[in-house]
Amino acid sequence: MEDVEMDVASPEVMLTFYNRIYPFQSIFNWLNQGHTPTKRFTHREFAFTLQNDVYLRYNSFATYEDLKKQVCQYNPSRFEIGPVYSLRPRDRKTARPGAMVPLERELVFDIDMTDYDSIRTCCSGADICKRCWGFIAAAVHVIDDAIRKQFGYNHLLWVYSGRRGIHLWISDKEALELTDDQRKAIVGWLTVVRAEKSEMAKKTEIHTPLKELPPLLKTALEHLKYTFNDLILEDQDPFSSDEGFEHLLRLITDSGLAARLRDQRKAGSTSKELWLIILKATEGTRILQAMREDIIFHYTYPRLDAEVSKHRNHLLKAPFCVHPKTGRVCVPIDPIQVDDFDPAEVPTVNQLMKEINTANTSTESSSLPDWHKTALRPYIDMLDKHVQGIMDDAKRSKGTDLSW
Amino acid sequence: MFNARDRRSFKTEDAGDSKPESQKLNFYDRPPRHDVTLEEFEICALNRLRILAEIESSLARNRSWEEMKTQTTQQCKNYLPLDTEEDRKQDHVSHYVLRLAFCRSEDLRRRFIKAEGILFRTRFDEVLKADREQLLDSQRLHWLKVEETEKQNHRNELYSLYPPIKPEDVRNTSFNRDTYYKVRWTRVPDLIEKRKVFLSGGWAYVPGREQSSIIFQEFEDRLARALELTARSLPRLDEDSRLVPILDNLSNGFVAGVSSEWSSSTEGKNGEITAEMVDHHARNDFPMCMRTLHEQLRKDHHLKHFGRLQYGLFLKVLGLPIEESIVFWRKSFDRITDDKFNKEYKYNIRHSFGLEGKRANYPAKSCQQILSPGPSEHGCPYRHYSPENLQTALLANYSSQGLTSADLPEVVALVKSGHFHVACTRVFEITHASCGIKKGDGVGGFESVTHPNQYAARSIELRKGDIKKEGT
């Protein structure tokens, strides 16, 4: 863990990475949704963060070769992808004011571990370990399921953010065209636990006493019950500390039960033991049961960074960038295998350098691109497969357009 | 009148459809196709503007939906009825005229959409069910009816979102009777955001009773899109130089509340006002703009040209006859010689009464004219004073009539949000509380102040009634 944090790449390494490994073509295909450059690529904003923290916005490129050239020239520590505008972002100064408006943009979500700081016990702040990845994994399951089943979108790309979070990019046509209002609506639909920025942690109140749980949450609850048991009670064990216990008490609306918990709590009480008390006490009455379910949601339901998703013109770090602090590459993640994902095992840029160096000294065929010989290969294949799905879909809808 | 491209695209669409005038509710998706005289163009737009401005001030005053509805319905009866085909044609034309006037800026568009949306909602609530269904049939809203088997498949989910009605079996039968529709979720973002509907595969399952909210959303969305299109093609409109001034006038009117027709109609009725009475009325019945002028006149024993013009015309319409007017001004300008007065001022006074020069009967300036920036240094105090000065002036002028410092924040808030005429109306209501005026009554018939003379005349009328009541 400590080691990885130190694995920061030097500018020379970054340059080699962009030059020889970064999958510009796959990224192009993914954004452009076809092989010939369209507005989806040429009118797209790219923003660069240079090594000296200078931030350059409103870049746009005609082809992915242009993009690569510019990236190699600037050698940025990372770069971000923005929306497709009504004109080429780099031409914005020649147009009349107000003419440049965002038209399309993948629907994006950002889940960040910092929003979980008040409930995780293993790490805090920027740190992440295999144990707290459980929160992210639970979030991925819920969001992935909701987006696919409820909203009917198919082209979801989950990307590890390089340190403590995960991004989701949705490339379905309808998702690309959503207005800011619609994006706000979808965030509202998915948000249950409001992010706690301050100490004044707001209570999660999902249930209204008279109404049943909405269907969306009912399905989520089925899954989260298990997560709660494994991740919270078994692994994180947050209620055993005084602080975590107080946090729990704040969620308990029934003063009698809160007092009983205080009484029965001994020095070594584990979360599991305390939860058993709650389970017994809440059996039977509907209001208490609702409160119990609220607690489960509070500890396990995805906490979205809403601002990222709400606006089309929000920039988000491109996949396969290198996180400047950890040196890890932002690789795509298969949502089905998200439980087994270990952030510590993600290839770092220095590690990739070693791999291409050893591969090139051995006598293997050199006709293959460099990334083929590295640990990044399965991830790039994953993106290519994802892109293929998008393109097939695009072709199909084009076909129907022609027949019309 | 409307650009050719629009017309063409609509033509292909309406083949075989009924004319929009044949139904009471109109989505305004097709422009009017008949000839309109210039006068009609302006008059029906003014009538509609009156209603929209009233809706705006209702919003600014936080009126409840019910209050607003009653009031808007009342106003619609007076200015924009929908009973005959001719009425509906007027309604149709007026909507399109105002579109032209209000598409020019983001702010105007937003306000127009809001006000039109409320007008549509009010009418939707008021008309018969048949009219509503007629509208729904005529719009291709792309609603898929959810078949009974599909409804049963999702029964649990749908039922859990059904509103709680007691007892349970009533809720059950009501649920069974309700028809569900499927729409793309992107069409009902507000329902999605609040998790009010069942969602599957991107389709929102909306119960029949939520239909109206979708229609309102649709109405506003379509209007927003149409306004942007109109704005883009507006530069091609200036081929007709007769329309642009009218449109300018209309959009200014919206800013000032409404361009009022309140003019000399009351002239002569109150002919009994004399020069001596002006002081009394100024203290009791004048809106702040006129009080300010009056005070300045008393303080300086003089008023500059535009001040004289504004105040003089106001007094004329209030019912001060020409002889009295000359007496009033002569007395007020008591530091100048008779000779100077006769030479330099008398002519102007007579001129304003239409007795000199081109002998035009000049109307008094309306709020709109006073509000819009011009050569006059005597504008609307609500608009031109700083908040601090305004508060001091309000207390100084009106504290004897029941305005307390507790009322100030409300008035100032209205001013800050740009609703100057509403602020003035509110002051009227506060200072006439003793005459039985309640918050929201406005200057009669829920109307806001749109003309200083309207304010003053209503005030005089109210106070007179008061004295009579006390007498009996």
Side-chain angles (χ1 to χ4, degrees):
Chain A
M1 183 80 205
E2 288 282 277
D3 266 345
V4 180
E5 284 287 349
M6 303 294 289
D7 204 5
V8 178
S10 64
E12 295 74 36
V13 169
M14 286 304 295
L15 188 58
T16 325
F17 171 73
Y18 289 131
N19 230 329
R20 296 176 58 183
I21 302 179
Y22 191 90
F24 285 103
Q25 190 169 5
S26 305
I27 293 289
F28 163 83
N29 287 338
W30 170 59
L31 295 175
N32 191 54
Q33 310 202 350
H35 294 292
T36 22
T38 62
K39 281 185 182 177
R40 287 221 174 107
F41 188 78
T42 58
H43 289 31
R44 175 85 69 166
E45 177 183 358
F46 290 89
F48 299 107
T49 309
L50 303 190
Q51 307 275 355
N52 54 6
D53 276 342
V54 169
Y55 193 51
L56 299 175
R57 282 199 64 180
Y58 302 118
N59 297 280
S60 62
F61 304 95
T63 61
Y64 72 87
E65 288 94 345
D66 283 359
L67 170 65
K68 183 174 179 180
K69 216 163 87 192
Q70 187 75 85
V71 167
C72 292
Q73 201 179 352
Y74 283 146
N75 194 16
S77 60
R78 61 195 168 106
F79 62 93
E80 293 173 318
I81 298 172
V84 179
Y85 280 98
S86 49
L87 44 89
R88 284 187 198 87
R90 63 169 170 205
D91 294 343
R92 76 190 187 289
K93 281 183 181 151
T94 60
R96 72 184 160 78
M100 190 168 105
V101 286
L103 299 178
E104 286 190 353
R105 166 59 194 263
E106 286 80 10
L107 176 61
V108 292
F109 291 96
D110 179 13
I111 304 167
D112 195 293
M113 218 49 232
T114 36
D115 291 326
Y116 290 84
D117 274 350
S118 64
I119 53 171
R120 63 175 174 162
T121 57
C122 49
C123 323
S124 69
D127 295 334
I128 189 166
C129 68
K130 178 84 181 100
R131 282 175 64 204
C132 42
W133 184 258
F135 286 107
I136 300 281
V140 169
H141 285 303
V142 172
I143 300 287
D144 197 76
D145 191 68
I147 297 283
R148 282 178 209 271
K149 292 212 182 107
Q150 288 152 16
F151 289 92
Y153 297 141
N154 295 317
H155 303 299
L156 284 69
L157 184 72
W158 289 95
V159 182
Y160 174 52
S161 74
R163 187 152 69 174
R164 59 195 163 176
I166 196 161
H167 298 160
L168 170 61
W169 297 75
I170 305 170
S171 304
D172 291 70
K173 190 170 183 299
E174 189 185 80
L176 279 170
E177 289 165 357
L178 294 178
T179 63
D180 286 357
D181 273 348
Q182 290 161 341
R183 282 165 209 255
K184 194 166 140 268
I186 201 168
V187 170
W189 172 273
L190 291 171
T191 303
V192 171
V193 184
R194 312 253 164 232
E196 318 157 36
K197 294 278 180 224
S198 62
E199 277 302 296
M200 295 283 292
K202 274 195 202 106
K203 258 183 274 167
T204 317
E205 270 183 31
I206 303 130
H207 284 278
T208 41
L210 274 175
K211 275 193 179 171
E212 278 178 74
L213 208 52
L216 145 84
L217 298 178
K218 235 182 233 167
T219 11
L221 185 65
E222 287 310 307
H223 181 82
L224 293 177
K225 265 183 195 160
Y226 297 106
T227 315
F228 185 77
N229 191 48
D230 297 349
L231 177 75
I232 303 297
L233 299 182
E234 299 275 353
D235 187 347
Q236 293 279 336
D237 193 16
F239 314 145
S240 59
S241 75
D242 286 344
E243 208 184 30
F245 182 65
E246 290 303 319
H247 190 102
L248 172 70
L249 286 187
R250 260 186 301 191
L251 300 173
I252 288 177
T253 44
D254 184 88
S255 55
L257 177 58
R260 197 146 13 117
L261 278 170
R262 252 186 230 284
D263 280 353
Q264 302 193 2
R265 182 170 179 256
K266 291 181 284 285
S269 290
T270 62
S271 295
K272 217 171 179 182
E273 286 160 8
L274 291 165
W275 187 249
L276 277 176
I277 301 173
I278 296 176
L279 266 182
K280 231 181 234 157
T282 52
E283 215 58 59
T285 56
R286 222 173 121 191
I287 294 173
L288 288 178
Q289 231 167 333
M291 181 200 78
R292 191 181 75 207
E293 286 168 0
D294 279 359
I295 296 176
I296 297 182
F297 278 119
H298 181 84
Y299 279 95
T300 54
Y301 193 86
R303 300 179 172 198
L304 296 172
D305 185 345
E307 293 312 310
V308 177
S309 313
K310 278 185 194 166
H311 301 287
R312 269 171 294 191
N313 54 1
H314 201 103
L315 294 147
L316 195 64
K317 190 163 50 162
F320 291 102
C321 273
V322 173
H323 193 285
K325 294 278 161 49
T326 61
R328 290 179 196 153
V329 181
C330 306
V331 293
I333 299 172
D334 181 354
I336 296 166
Q337 289 162 10
V338 67
D339 289 311
D340 303 324
F341 182 85
D342 182 354
E345 282 170 16
V346 169
T348 67
V349 64
N350 288 326
Q351 184 191 331
L352 294 173
M353 281 309 117
K354 268 177 231 152
E355 283 173 3
I356 49 169
N357 287 340
T358 48
N360 284 354
T361 48
S362 72
T363 51
E364 249 182 277
S365 82
S366 51
S367 60
L368 284 167
D370 281 331
W371 57 261
H372 251 266
K373 306 156 199 161
T374 67
L376 216 51
R377 182 176 169 181
Y379 298 106
I380 294 177
D381 285 343
M382 202 190 294
L383 175 62
D384 284 338
K385 215 177 119 205
H386 174 74
V387 172
Q388 198 52 52
I390 297 175
M391 286 204 200
D392 288 349
D393 236 24
K395 244 181 253 160
R396 220 171 296 140
S397 66
K398 225 183 204 169
T400 49
D401 274 358
L402 282 178
S403 71
W404 178 79
Chain B
M1 180 165 71
F2 303 98
N3 72 66
R5 206 186 47 181
D6 272 5
R7 210 180 274 188
R8 218 177 311 131
S9 67
F10 283 117
K11 208 172 220 166
T12 50
E13 221 176 274
D14 33 64
D17 261 357
S18 55
K19 281 192 290 181
E21 290 91 46
S22 63
Q23 55 192 55
K24 276 196 174 183
L25 287 170
N26 194 336
F27 240 65
Y28 308 107
D29 50 354
R30 277 169 280 160
R33 308 263 291 276
H34 54 276
D35 290 336
V36 181
T37 66
L38 203 58
E39 201 189 343
E40 209 184 328
F41 183 89
E42 185 166 12
I43 287 176
C44 64
L46 274 173
N47 282 340
R48 191 183 197 87
L49 187 58
R50 205 176 260 283
I51 295 173
L52 297 189
E54 219 35 65
I55 290 176
E56 270 225 317
S57 54
S58 293
L59 286 173
R61 290 159 152 247
N62 266 332
R63 283 201 178 115
S64 74
W65 168 243
E66 282 308 317
E67 271 177 311
M68 186 150 67
K69 205 172 94 178
T70 353
Q71 197 192 324
T72 316
T73 319
Q74 187 56 42
Q75 292 247 340
C76 282
K77 264 194 204 121
N78 295 339
Y79 297 113
L80 263 188
L82 292 173
D83 302 326
T84 65
E85 187 155 317
E86 203 41 51
D87 287 343
R88 285 172 226 156
K89 261 187 184 170
Q90 293 249 330
D91 173 69
H92 197 188
V93 171
S94 64
H95 173 87
Y96 270 88
V97 175
L98 292 192
R99 269 195 194 186
L100 289 174
F102 292 132
C103 65
R104 293 128 172 250
S105 79
E106 181 70 41
D107 180 52
L108 281 175
R109 285 201 289 265
R110 194 177 41 75
R111 290 168 60 183
F112 181 64
I113 293 167
K114 181 112 202 179
E116 276 286 338
I118 286 170
L119 178 61
F120 180 79
R121 228 172 261 216
T122 315
R123 287 175 164 175
F124 193 86
D125 272 14
E126 286 297 307
V127 297
L128 302 171
K129 194 163 180 252
D131 289 314
R132 254 175 273 175
E133 276 168 5
Q134 202 184 5
L135 171 82
L136 297 183
D137 288 342
S138 69
Q139 301 302 321
R140 287 164 217 83
L141 289 171
H142 304 290
W143 289 358
L144 305 177
K145 208 172 155 197
V146 177
E147 297 303 324
E148 195 52 34
T149 46
E150 197 179 351
K151 184 177 168 188
Q152 287 310 321
N153 283 345
H154 296 300
R155 192 178 195 286
N156 286 340
E157 289 93 340
L158 294 175
Y159 191 63
S160 72
L161 287 165
Y162 207 70
I165 306 170
K166 299 252 153 127
E168 199 58 34
D169 54 314
V170 176
R171 183 173 171 224
N172 207 338
T173 43
S174 155
F175 170 78
N176 287 336
R177 231 183 291 134
D178 218 336
T179 331
Y180 273 81
Y181 295 90
K182 272 200 287 194
V183 290
R184 253 351 255 181
W185 77 268
T186 47
R187 298 255 312 274
V188 286
D190 44 338
L191 295 179
I192 294 293
E193 189 168 0
K194 294 181 192 122
R195 282 199 285 267
K196 277 192 171 160
V197 287
F198 172 64
L199 183 66
S200 173
W203 294 96
Y205 289 64
V206 183
R209 70 197 147 78
E210 298 273 9
Q211 237 177 6
S212 48
S213 88
I214 305 176
I215 294 168
F216 300 149
Q217 179 79 30
E218 190 76 23
F219 180 83
E220 293 185 10
D221 286 352
R222 287 192 188 191
L223 184 54
R225 277 200 299 273
L227 282 177
E228 271 179 39
L229 273 180
T230 318
R232 256 180 267 160
S233 43
L234 201 60
R236 273 173 275 158
L237 181 90
D238 51 22
E239 80 240 18
D240 194 338
S241 56
R242 295 171 307 165
L243 295 186
V244 175
I246 298 182
L247 296 176
D248 280 339
N249 187 26
L250 286 171
S251 46
N252 285 339
F254 207 32
V255 176
V258 72
S259 65
S260 176
E261 293 159 37
W262 214 97
S263 59
S264 37
S265 59
T266 53
E267 198 178 6
K269 270 192 225 155
N270 300 337
E272 69 272 19
I273 290 185
T274 60
E276 288 73 39
M277 292 161 76
V278 174
D279 267 326
H280 170 80
H281 284 310
R283 267 198 313 278
N284 289 308
D285 302 313
F286 286 5
M288 193 139 83
C289 46
M290 296 305 163
R291 278 175 196 237
T292 318
L293 284 168
H294 188 77
E295 270 161 34
Q296 210 177 341
L297 177 64
R298 288 286 174 257
K299 195 170 99 229
D300 300 343
H301 305 270
H302 188 263
L303 268 184
K304 286 192 176 161
H305 175 74
F306 286 108
R308 287 200 305 273
L309 194 65
Q310 190 175 325
Y311 194 39
L313 289 171
F314 167 78
L315 289 176
K316 178 184 90 171
V317 176
L318 194 70
L320 194 70
I322 174 70
E323 308 80 44
E324 291 295 324
S325 208
I326 292 174
V327 173
F328 172 78
W329 288 107
R330 183 65 200 99
K331 278 187 179 166
S332 306
F333 288 9
D334 54 1
R335 295 190 180 164
I336 54 168
T337 60
D338 266 347
D339 192 38
K340 190 174 157 76
F341 182 79
N342 286 338
K343 253 197 233 154
E344 290 179 26
Y345 301 104
K346 205 171 164 185
Y347 176 89
N348 277 337
I349 297 167
R350 291 177 53 81
H351 186 264
S352 68
F353 275 78
L355 299 170
E356 303 283 356
K358 73 167 179 179
R359 296 183 176 261
N361 188 7
Y362 296 99
K365 287 194 181 348
S366 68
C367 286
Q368 184 199 342
Q369 286 165 302
I370 295 171
L371 272 168
S372 31
S376 161
E377 68 231 55
H378 311 283
C380 171
Y382 296 99
R383 178 165 191 163
H384 299 292
Y385 282 19
S386 73
E388 295 74 33
N389 284 349
L390 178 63
Q391 298 193 23
T392 326
L394 279 170
L395 283 178
N397 277 314
Y398 292 108
S399 54
S400 60
Q401 288 172 287
L403 183 120
T404 62
S405 48
D407 300 315
L408 291 178
E410 190 189 350
V411 176
V412 172
L414 285 166
V415 168
K416 280 206 177 120
S417 52
H419 299 284
F420 311 110
H421 57 291
V422 181
C424 187
T425 312
R426 188 65 200 118
V427 169
F428 180 90
E429 287 163 5
I430 294 166
T431 53
H432 292 80
S434 59
C435 311
I437 294 292
K438 292 184 298 297
K439 181 172 179 174
D441 285 353
V443 285
F446 305 115
E447 275 185 58
S448 311
V449 176
T450 55
H451 198 295
N453 279 107
Q454 172 201 24
Y455 184 111
R458 176 74 178 146
S459 173
I460 292 173
E461 187 189 324
L462 279 168
R463 304 240 186 250
K464 221 184 260 164
D466 232 26
I467 293 162
K468 258 186 218 150
K469 247 182 264 162
E470 274 166 30
T472 51

